Amino acid sequence: MTTRNQTVISQFLLLGLPISPEHQQLFYALFLAMYLTTVLGNLIIIILILLDSHLHTPMYLFLSNLSFSDLCFSSVTMPKLLQNMQSQVPSIPYAGCLAQIYFFLYFGDLGNFLLVAMAYDRYVAICFPLHYMSIMSTKLCVSLVLLSWVLTTFHAMLHTLLMARLSFCEDNVIPHYFCDMSTLLKVACSDTHDNELAIFILGGPIVILPFLLIIVSYARIVSSIFKAPSSQDIRKAFSTCGSHLSVVSLFYGTVIGLYLCPSASNTTVKEIIMSLMYTVVTPMLNPFIYSLRNRDIKGDPGSSI
């Protein structure tokens, strides 16, 4: 960034959601309720897992980390959105924008990798039940969690540093409710080739490969389910796998559509709605999908898929 741009750009103006003034308070209450649901739901899951020794298993190790990731991921954008909805000047400092990009990518990637670990855990539990404890050892599970935390650091830092190199001149208006990377690239007045190349190259191993691994894991699970002797077991497994896959598809579908395969027909409103799906809806649904349906957490006897 040149000296001129450093003096001109000290903050960005976030246009926020395309909501008419008369509906502003209604949507503020809605998003506040969704955010509080996300925070409370994920906090309850984390506390229950920490307090109940019966839940100190590989699946719940991944789940507690996913809940923490979802809580932080939602907190990167939602408080600022709620604040700006009540502000006459919905702005964010330049440094705050870069920080938002970093933590948005960090916790988004972390949840991405944890979903893969959870899918693998379910694959081993259902397809190799007799060898589950030997395969999903404490060492392997802790290594998978630590690897997820470390890998996300490098990816988030790379994109943040590349974004810090861009110049924005006098155009500091972002037609979004947070510092979305793809939106920032559109308003930049310097060459964004390196940023776009990094998104394209890293999009495969960071987004598409994990998504494919999850699909393969659940495909193997479905194949194994058909061998189950009980129709009740088949219904229970399909119900659980279907709900898991619906959230996974919602998250990956919107992310891939926005960042890796953007359509020329995508309008700003359409992109904002897609962003809301994976930044607000998915973190709110995960506690219900992955935990509240689970009989271990609800205190019922037996185990669930």
Side-chain angles (χ1 to χ4, degrees):
M1 181 175 288
T2 65
T3 303
R4 173 176 172 267
N5 287 312
Q6 288 176 346
T7 58
V8 170
I9 296 296
S10 61
Q11 65 179 10
F12 289 100
L13 296 179
L14 297 171
L15 294 186
L17 303 175
I19 301 173
S20 58
E22 59 267 23
H23 297 141
Q24 191 84 1
Q25 293 303 318
L26 175 64
F27 277 94
Y28 177 83
L30 174 63
F31 286 120
L32 178 61
M34 294 176 73
Y35 178 60
L36 291 177
T37 301
T38 301
V39 172
L40 291 175
N42 285 292
L43 273 179
I44 289 172
I45 298 306
I46 294 171
I47 293 171
L48 285 176
I49 293 174
L50 288 175
L51 295 180
D52 192 345
S53 59
H54 293 96
L55 300 180
H56 295 173
T57 62
M59 179 174 68
Y60 293 106
L61 171 65
F62 299 138
L63 181 57
S64 61
N65 277 269
L66 179 66
S67 293
F68 179 77
S69 172
D70 283 339
L71 191 158
C72 294
F73 184 58
S74 183
S75 297
V76 171
T77 57
M78 286 302 290
K80 189 62 180 175
L81 168 63
L82 293 169
Q83 177 191 345
N84 284 346
M85 289 181 76
Q86 298 295 306
S87 173
Q88 297 297 321
V89 184
S91 62
I92 184 171
Y94 176 78
C97 188
L98 290 180
Q100 193 176 61
I101 290 173
Y102 175 82
F103 288 109
F104 179 84
L105 290 172
Y106 185 88
F107 290 111
D109 290 346
L110 180 59
N112 176 30
F113 290 135
L114 290 171
L115 286 174
V116 179
M118 292 178 71
Y120 178 69
D121 174 78
R122 293 299 82 202
Y123 163 68
V124 174
I126 295 173
C127 298
F128 304 98
L130 298 180
H131 303 285
Y132 177 77
M133 294 309 297
S134 60
I135 296 175
M136 299 303 295
S137 63
T138 302
K139 182 179 179 180
L140 175 63
C141 294
V142 172
S143 297
L144 288 174
V145 171
L146 290 178
L147 184 62
S148 299
W149 282 85
V150 171
L151 285 178
T152 56
T153 303
F154 296 109
H155 181 246
M157 183 60 70
L158 173 64
H159 282 296
T160 305
L161 292 176
L162 286 174
M163 191 64 66
R165 296 172 60 247
L166 297 181
S167 302
F168 294 94
C169 306
E170 289 82 10
D171 189 5
N172 67 334
V173 178
I174 302 176
H176 217 297
Y177 64 92
F178 71 99
C179 288
D180 177 63
M181 193 163 58
S182 63
T183 306
L184 276 172
L185 293 180
K186 294 177 182 177
V187 301
C189 62
S190 58
D191 184 21
T192 60
H193 176 264
D194 291 344
N195 301 72
E196 293 167 354
L197 188 63
I199 292 174
F200 179 77
I201 294 176
L202 296 177
I206 297 296
V207 179
I208 295 179
L209 181 59
F211 178 59
L212 292 177
L213 289 174
I214 292 173
I215 295 300
V216 169
S217 296
Y218 279 112
R220 294 291 185 90
I221 289 173
V222 170
S223 176
S224 177
I225 287 171
F226 279 118
K227 301 174 184 178
S230 168
S231 59
Q232 182 179 356
D233 290 340
I234 293 176
R235 284 196 303 270
K236 181 182 70 174
F238 266 117
S239 173
T240 305
C241 289
S243 58
H244 290 189
L245 281 175
S246 63
V247 174
V248 167
S249 300
L250 178 65
F251 176 80
Y252 284 100
T254 52
V255 169
I256 292 173
L258 273 175
Y259 297 107
L260 299 183
C261 305
S263 171
S265 63
N266 281 358
T267 62
T268 300
V269 175
K270 184 178 179 181
E271 290 180 352
I272 289 176
I273 293 174
M274 292 173 70
S275 297
L276 286 171
M277 289 297 104
Y278 73 89
T279 60
V280 179
V281 178
T282 302
M284 182 184 68
L285 291 180
N286 276 346
F288 299 95
I289 297 298
Y290 286 100
S291 307
L292 300 184
R293 290 172 53 109
N294 195 299
R295 290 183 294 177
D296 291 338
I297 283 187
K298 290 192 294 186
D300 295 339
S303 60
S304 63
I305 300 295

